Each structure stands twice: as structure tokens, then as C-alpha cells.
Coordinates of all heavy atoms in Angstrom, one line a residue:
M10 N 11.3 2.8 -1.6 CA 11.7 3.8 -2.6 C 11.5 3.2 -4.0 O 12.0 2.1 -4.3 CB 13.1 4.3 -2.5 CG 13.5 5.4 -3.4 SD 15.1 6.0 -3.4 CE 15.1 6.8 -1.9
L11 N 10.8 3.9 -4.9 CA 10.6 3.5 -6.2 C 11.5 4.2 -7.2 O 11.3 5.5 -7.2 CB 9.2 3.6 -6.5 CG 8.6 2.8 -7.8 CD1 8.8 1.4 -7.7 CD2 7.1 3.2 -8.0
T12 N 12.2 3.5 -7.9 CA 13.1 4.3 -8.9 C 12.3 4.9 -10.1 O 11.2 4.4 -10.3 CB 14.3 3.3 -9.5 OG1 13.6 2.2 -10.2 CG2 15.1 2.7 -8.3
P13 N 12.9 5.9 -10.8 CA 12.2 6.4 -12.0 C 11.9 5.1 -12.9 O 12.7 4.3 -13.1 CB 13.2 7.3 -12.6 CG 14.0 7.8 -11.4 CD 14.2 6.6 -10.5
Y14 N 10.7 5.2 -13.5 CA 10.1 4.3 -14.3 C 9.8 2.9 -13.6 O 9.4 2.0 -14.3 CB 11.0 4.0 -15.6 CG 11.3 5.3 -16.3 CD1 12.5 5.9 -16.3 CD2 10.3 6.0 -17.1 CE1 12.7 7.1 -16.8 CE2 10.5 7.1 -17.7 CZ 11.8 7.7 -17.6 OH 12.1 8.9 -18.3
G15 N 9.9 2.9 -12.3 CA 9.5 1.8 -11.5 C 8.0 1.6 -11.6 O 7.3 2.6 -11.8
R16 N 7.4 0.4 -11.4 CA 6.0 0.1 -11.5 C 5.5 -0.5 -10.3 O 6.2 -1.4 -9.6 CB 5.8 -0.7 -12.7 CG 6.1 -0.1 -14.0 CD 6.1 -1.2 -15.1 NE 6.4 -0.5 -16.4 CZ 7.5 -0.2 -16.8 NH1 8.6 -0.4 -16.0 NH2 7.8 0.4 -18.1
V17 N 4.3 -0.1 -10.0 CA 3.5 -0.7 -8.9 C 2.2 -1.3 -9.6 O 1.5 -0.5 -10.1 CB 3.2 0.1 -7.6 CG1 2.3 -0.6 -6.7 CG2 4.5 0.7 -7.1
A18 N 1.9 -2.6 -9.4 CA 0.7 -3.1 -9.8 C -0.1 -3.7 -8.7 O 0.4 -4.5 -7.9 CB 0.9 -4.2 -11.0
V19 N -1.4 -3.3 -8.6 CA -2.3 -3.8 -7.6 C -3.4 -4.6 -8.2 O -4.2 -4.0 -8.9 CB -2.8 -2.6 -6.7 CG1 -3.6 -3.0 -5.6 CG2 -1.7 -1.7 -6.2
D20 N -3.4 -5.9 -7.8 CA -4.4 -6.7 -8.3 C -5.7 -6.5 -7.5 O -5.7 -6.1 -6.4 CB -4.0 -8.1 -8.2 CG -4.9 -9.2 -9.0 OD1 -5.5 -8.7 -9.9 OD2 -4.7 -10.3 -8.7
S21 N -6.8 -6.9 -8.1 CA -8.2 -6.8 -7.5 C -8.6 -5.3 -7.2 O -9.3 -5.1 -6.2 CB -8.3 -7.7 -6.3 OG -8.1 -9.1 -6.6
A22 N -8.2 -4.5 -8.1 CA -8.3 -3.0 -7.8 C -9.8 -2.6 -8.0 O -10.3 -1.6 -7.4 CB -7.4 -2.2 -8.7
V23 N -10.6 -3.4 -8.7 CA -12.0 -3.1 -8.9 C -12.8 -3.7 -7.8 O -13.7 -3.2 -7.1 CB -12.5 -3.5 -10.2 CG1 -14.0 -3.4 -10.4 CG2 -11.8 -2.6 -11.4
S24 N -12.5 -5.0 -7.6 CA -13.3 -5.8 -6.6 C -13.0 -5.4 -5.2 O -13.8 -5.6 -4.2 CB -13.0 -7.4 -6.8 OG -11.8 -7.6 -6.6
H25 N -11.9 -4.7 -4.9 CA -11.7 -4.2 -3.6 C -11.3 -2.6 -3.7 O -10.4 -2.1 -2.9 CB -10.4 -5.0 -3.0 CG -10.6 -6.4 -2.7 ND1 -10.5 -7.4 -3.7 CD2 -11.1 -7.0 -1.6 CE1 -10.7 -8.5 -3.2 NE2 -11.1 -8.3 -1.9
R26 N -12.1 -2.0 -4.5 CA -11.9 -0.6 -4.7 C -11.8 0.3 -3.4 O -11.0 1.2 -3.2 CB -12.9 -0.1 -5.7 CG -12.8 1.4 -6.1 CD -13.9 1.8 -7.0 NE -14.1 1.0 -8.0 CZ -13.8 1.2 -9.4 NH1 -13.3 2.2 -9.8 NH2 -14.2 0.3 -10.2
E27 N -12.7 0.0 -2.5 CA -12.8 0.8 -1.3 C -11.6 0.6 -0.4 O -11.2 1.6 0.3 CB -14.1 0.4 -0.5 CG -14.2 -1.0 -0.1 CD -14.7 -1.9 -1.1 OE1 -15.2 -1.5 -2.1 OE2 -14.6 -3.1 -1.0
Q28 N -10.9 -0.5 -0.5 CA -9.7 -0.7 0.2 C -8.4 0.0 -0.4 O -7.4 0.2 0.3 CB -9.4 -2.2 0.4 CG -10.4 -3.0 1.2 CD -10.3 -4.4 1.2 OE1 -9.9 -5.0 0.1 NE2 -10.4 -5.1 2.3
L29 N -8.5 0.4 -1.6 CA -7.5 1.0 -2.3 C -7.6 2.5 -2.5 O -6.7 3.2 -3.1 CB -7.3 0.3 -3.7 CG -6.9 -1.1 -3.6 CD1 -7.0 -1.6 -5.1 CD2 -5.5 -1.3 -3.1
T30 N -8.7 3.0 -2.0 CA -9.0 4.4 -2.2 C -7.9 5.5 -1.9 O -7.5 6.3 -2.6 CB -10.3 4.9 -1.5 OG1 -11.4 4.0 -2.0 CG2 -10.7 6.3 -1.8
A31 N -7.4 5.1 -0.6 CA -6.4 6.1 -0.1 C -5.1 6.1 -1.0 O -4.5 7.0 -1.2 CB -6.0 5.7 1.4
F32 N -4.7 4.8 -1.3 CA -3.5 4.6 -2.1 C -3.7 5.3 -3.4 O -2.8 6.0 -4.0 CB -3.1 3.1 -2.3 CG -2.0 2.9 -3.2 CD1 -0.6 3.1 -2.9 CD2 -2.2 2.5 -4.5 CE1 0.4 3.0 -3.7 CE2 -1.1 2.2 -5.4 CZ 0.1 2.5 -4.9
D33 N -4.8 5.0 -4.1 CA -5.1 5.6 -5.5 C -5.1 7.1 -5.4 O -4.5 7.7 -6.3 CB -6.5 5.1 -5.8 CG -6.9 5.5 -7.3 OD1 -6.0 5.7 -8.1 OD2 -8.2 5.6 -7.6
E34 N -5.7 7.7 -4.4 CA -5.7 9.2 -4.3 C -4.2 9.7 -4.0 O -3.8 10.7 -4.6 CB -6.6 9.6 -3.1 CG -8.0 9.4 -3.4 CD -8.9 9.6 -2.2 OE1 -8.4 10.0 -1.2 OE2 -10.2 9.6 -2.4
L35 N -3.5 9.0 -3.3 CA -2.1 9.4 -2.9 C -1.2 9.4 -4.3 O -0.6 10.5 -4.5 CB -1.5 8.4 -2.0 CG 0.0 8.7 -1.6 CD1 0.1 10.0 -0.8 CD2 0.5 7.5 -0.8
V36 N -1.2 8.4 -5.0 CA -0.4 8.3 -6.2 C -0.9 9.3 -7.3 O -0.1 9.9 -8.0 CB -0.2 6.9 -6.8 CG1 0.6 6.1 -5.9 CG2 -1.5 6.3 -7.2
R37 N -2.2 9.6 -7.4 CA -2.8 10.5 -8.4 C -2.4 11.9 -8.0 O -2.1 12.7 -8.9 CB -4.3 10.3 -8.6 CG -4.6 9.0 -9.2 CD -6.1 8.8 -9.5 NE -6.5 7.4 -9.8 CZ -6.5 7.1 -11.2 NH1 -6.1 8.0 -12.1 NH2 -6.8 5.9 -11.5
R38 N -2.4 12.3 -6.7 CA -2.1 13.6 -6.2 C -0.7 13.8 -6.3 O -0.2 15.0 -6.4 CB -2.6 13.7 -4.8 CG -3.9 14.4 -4.5 CD -4.1 14.8 -3.2 NE -3.7 13.7 -2.4 CZ -4.3 13.0 -1.4 NH1 -5.4 13.5 -1.0 NH2 -3.7 12.1 -0.7
D39 N 0.2 12.9 -6.2 CA 1.7 13.1 -6.1 C 2.2 13.8 -7.3 O 3.1 14.6 -7.1 CB 2.3 11.7 -5.9 CG 3.8 11.8 -5.8 OD1 4.5 12.0 -6.7 OD2 4.2 11.7 -4.6
G40 N 1.7 13.5 -8.6 CA 2.2 14.1 -9.7 C 3.4 13.4 -10.3 O 3.7 13.7 -11.4
A41 N 4.0 12.5 -9.6 CA 5.2 11.8 -10.1 C 4.9 10.5 -10.7 O 5.8 9.8 -11.1 CB 6.2 11.7 -9.0
F42 N 3.6 10.2 -10.8 CA 3.1 8.9 -11.3 C 2.2 9.0 -12.5 O 1.3 10.0 -12.5 CB 2.5 8.1 -10.2 CG 3.4 7.6 -9.1 CD1 3.6 8.5 -8.0 CD2 4.1 6.4 -9.1 CE1 4.6 8.1 -7.0 CE2 4.9 6.0 -8.1 CZ 5.1 6.8 -7.1
A43 N 2.2 8.1 -13.4 CA 1.2 7.9 -14.4 C 0.4 6.7 -13.9 O 1.0 5.8 -13.6 CB 1.8 7.6 -15.8
V44 N -0.9 6.9 -13.7 CA -1.8 5.9 -13.1 C -2.9 5.5 -14.0 O -3.4 6.4 -14.8 CB -2.4 6.5 -11.8 CG1 -3.2 5.5 -11.1 CG2 -1.4 7.0 -10.8
H45 N -3.1 4.1 -14.0 CA -4.1 3.6 -14.9 C -4.9 2.5 -14.2 O -4.2 1.7 -13.6 CB -3.6 3.1 -16.2 CG -4.5 2.4 -17.1 ND1 -5.4 3.2 -17.8 CD2 -4.8 1.1 -17.3 CE1 -6.2 2.3 -18.5 NE2 -5.9 1.1 -18.2
L46 N -6.2 2.6 -14.3 CA -7.0 1.5 -13.7 C -7.6 0.6 -14.9 O -8.3 1.2 -15.7 CB -8.2 2.1 -12.8 CG -9.1 1.0 -12.4 CD1 -8.4 0.0 -11.5 CD2 -10.3 1.7 -11.6
N47 N -7.1 -0.6 -15.0 CA -7.8 -1.6 -16.0 C -8.9 -2.2 -15.3 O -8.6 -3.1 -14.3 CB -6.7 -2.5 -16.5 CG -7.2 -3.4 -17.5 OD1 -8.4 -3.7 -17.7 ND2 -6.2 -4.0 -18.3
E48 N -10.1 -2.0 -15.7 CA -11.3 -2.6 -15.0 C -11.7 -3.9 -15.6 O -12.9 -4.2 -15.3 CB -12.4 -1.5 -15.2 CG -12.0 -0.2 -14.5 CD -13.3 0.7 -14.3 OE1 -14.3 0.2 -13.9 OE2 -13.0 1.9 -14.3
V49 N -10.9 -4.6 -16.3 CA -11.3 -6.0 -16.8 C -11.1 -6.9 -15.6 O -10.2 -6.9 -14.9 CB -10.4 -6.3 -17.9 CG1 -10.6 -7.8 -18.4 CG2 -10.5 -5.4 -19.2
G50 N -12.2 -7.8 -15.4 CA -12.2 -8.8 -14.3 C -12.1 -8.1 -13.0 O -12.9 -7.1 -12.8
D51 N -11.3 -8.5 -12.1 CA -11.2 -8.0 -10.8 C -10.4 -6.6 -10.8 O -10.4 -5.9 -9.8 CB -10.5 -8.9 -9.8 CG -11.5 -10.1 -9.4 OD1 -12.6 -9.9 -9.5 OD2 -10.9 -11.1 -9.0
G52 N -9.9 -6.3 -12.0 CA -9.1 -5.0 -12.1 C -7.7 -5.0 -11.6 O -7.3 -5.7 -10.7
V53 N -6.9 -4.1 -12.3 CA -5.5 -3.9 -11.8 C -5.3 -2.4 -11.9 O -5.5 -1.8 -13.0 CB -4.5 -4.7 -12.8 CG1 -3.0 -4.3 -12.5 CG2 -4.7 -6.2 -12.8
L54 N -4.7 -1.8 -10.8 CA -4.3 -0.5 -10.8 C -2.8 -0.5 -11.0 O -2.0 -1.2 -10.3 CB -4.7 0.2 -9.4 CG -4.1 1.6 -9.2 CD1 -5.0 2.4 -10.1 CD2 -4.3 1.9 -7.7
T55 N -2.3 0.2 -12.0 CA -0.9 0.4 -12.3 C -0.5 1.8 -12.1 O -1.0 2.8 -12.7 CB -0.6 -0.1 -13.7 OG1 -1.2 -1.4 -14.0 CG2 0.9 -0.1 -14.1
A56 N 0.6 2.0 -11.4 CA 1.2 3.3 -11.3 C 2.7 3.3 -11.6 O 3.5 2.4 -11.2 CB 1.2 3.7 -9.8
V57 N 3.1 4.1 -12.6 CA 4.4 4.2 -13.0 C 5.2 5.5 -12.6 O 4.6 6.5 -12.9 CB 4.6 4.0 -14.6 CG1 5.9 4.0 -15.0 CG2 3.9 2.6 -15.0
R58 N 6.3 5.4 -11.9 CA 7.0 6.7 -11.5 C 7.6 7.3 -12.7 O 8.3 6.6 -13.5 CB 8.0 6.3 -10.5 CG 8.5 7.6 -10.0 CD 9.4 7.5 -8.8 NE 10.0 8.7 -8.4 CZ 11.1 8.8 -7.8 NH1 11.9 7.7 -7.5 NH2 11.6 10.0 -7.5
C59 N 7.3 8.5 -13.1 CA 7.7 9.3 -14.2 C 9.2 9.6 -14.0 O 9.6 9.8 -12.8 CB 6.9 10.4 -14.4 SG 5.2 10.2 -14.7
G60 N 10.0 9.6 -15.0 CA 11.4 9.9 -14.9 C 11.7 11.3 -14.8 O 12.4 11.9 -14.5

């Protein structure tokens, strides 16, 4: 369970994009998360649960 304003950061989100597709789609569809993909280097996907 992730509390409001809790964060999940996934490293290597660009270099392993195909392995993260299901998770990325899930948090984006949920509507309770602000999601950002930083594509610098191997990439970091960050999801913050909205309060």
C-alpha cells in the first residue's frame, strides 16, 4: 500500500522499457498517480500517488 504522496521510482526504465510496459500502463490508467519518465541515461520512471 502506498500512502498519499508516496513515491515509486523505477531505475533503468528506458533501457528495460519492454519489461515495465504493464506497470507503466497500470499507474497511468489508475488516475491516482502523477507519472513521469526521465529519459536521461538508462531512465527513471517516477510515480507519485496524488493526495
